[in-house]
Each structure stands twice: as C-alpha cells, then as structure tokens.
Amino acid sequence: VGGTANFPTLSLTGFAGTGANLTTFNLAFGVSASTGNVTTTWRTDMPSRGLTTRVSMAIGETSMTFSAVIRRGVRKVEMTGTFSGGEDFGNATLNVKVGDKLFARLVISIEGVTITNPDGGPLTAEDEATLQNIFEWFESSMSAPDVLLAPLFTLLDFSFGPV
C-alpha cells in the first residue's frame, strides 16, 4: 500500500506453480480520489520458458486505454488502443504489432470484431484465428486483477462510493 492521499496505490506480488511451471506475478493498482479514474498493471513472468506478459489499463469515466504485451525471448506481440462508449466501453480500435511492426487492427463494436491488415485488407484465415485467440487471452487476463482486488473494491465502495 502506498501512493498519496489523492492517489492511493496497492501492489500485490506473488507466485503460482512449482518447478518449470513457476510463474511470478505483480499487480499494481491505483485510484484517483478526485476523479475515480483507475490504473492497473498486471505482469507475469515464467522464467523457465522465457515468457513474460503485461496488461495495463487506465480506466476513466468514458474511456479505457489498454496496452498488452506477450513476450517470449525476442519475440513479442503487442496490442494497444482505447475503448470508448461509457460504462460498457463498447467501441475500440486496437493496433496489433508483431515484433515492432504493425501487423493488424481490431475494430470492436457492438456488432462484433473486425480484423484487418494495416491497410484495411483481410488477413489470412490462419492469421485472423491466431489474433482472435490472442485477443481473447488479453481480454480474459483483464479479469484476473478484478478477482484479486474484489475486497479492495468493496472497501472503496464504502469509502468513496462505487468506483
């Protein structure tokens, strides 16, 4: 627990698994007392496989900025963008980089997800399926911090009203 009275923070660090499956994690969480804006960064590291992940979110009243990276050695996939639309954050354009090169864009709306190459053309079916799986992993990883922070959200609800 740290930060300031205006921006309290919480950091949780731990590990899961054993031996070759040992994974360390860190969750950093902060909330603005004046605006209610929330920031989170969720990191994992599995040294035996050279695998690291990072998911960061900055959540405001009408938008959420999202950044996620999966890295194994020198290979990486990165997804960044901003969700908008108020409480449900129903619209977004996410840029996907493989290495440091823009590879695809995901346009997300109420109607679904459209995946294109940087010029707006179609990806191969295999590339589209792979990116869909990566996006679903990033999307599911956003729920892990919520589970760990559920008791804190309850405390904040008592202190500041709904976050």
Side-chain angles (χ1 to χ4, degrees), residues 90-92 106-115 132 135:
N91 300 302
L106 286 82
V107 177
I108 302 163
S109 68
I110 301 296
E111 291 79 34
V113 177
T114 303
I115 302 172
Q132 184 69 34
F135 177 75

Side-chain angles (χ1 to χ4, degrees), residues 67-87:
S67 170
V69 177
I70 298 175
R71 180 185 301 266
R72 183 167 186 199
V74 297
R75 297 178 297 248
K76 75 175 180 177
V77 175
E78 182 176 11
M79 198 176 290
T80 59
T82 300
F83 289 81
S84 61
E87 188 174 312

Side-chain angles (χ1 to χ4, degrees), residues 26 46 92 109 124 127 141:
N26 177 270
M46 184 180 278
S109 68
T124 67
D127 287 344
S141 72

Side-chain angles (χ1 to χ4, degrees), residues 12-53:
L12 301 171
T13 301
F15 66 91
T18 60
N21 294 319
L22 181 67
T23 302
T24 60
F25 64 85
N26 177 270
L27 172 63
F29 171 85
V31 62
S32 169
S34 61
T35 66
N37 292 354
V38 174
T39 61
T40 65
T41 300
W42 173 248
R43 297 175 190 266
T44 63
D45 184 26
M46 184 180 278
S48 66
R49 298 189 182 161
L51 180 66
T52 61
T53 66

Side-chain angles (χ1 to χ4, degrees), residues 118-134:
D119 298 324
L123 295 174
T124 67
E126 182 180 8
D127 287 344
E128 186 171 337
T130 299
L131 285 174
Q132 184 69 34
N133 288 335
I134 290 169

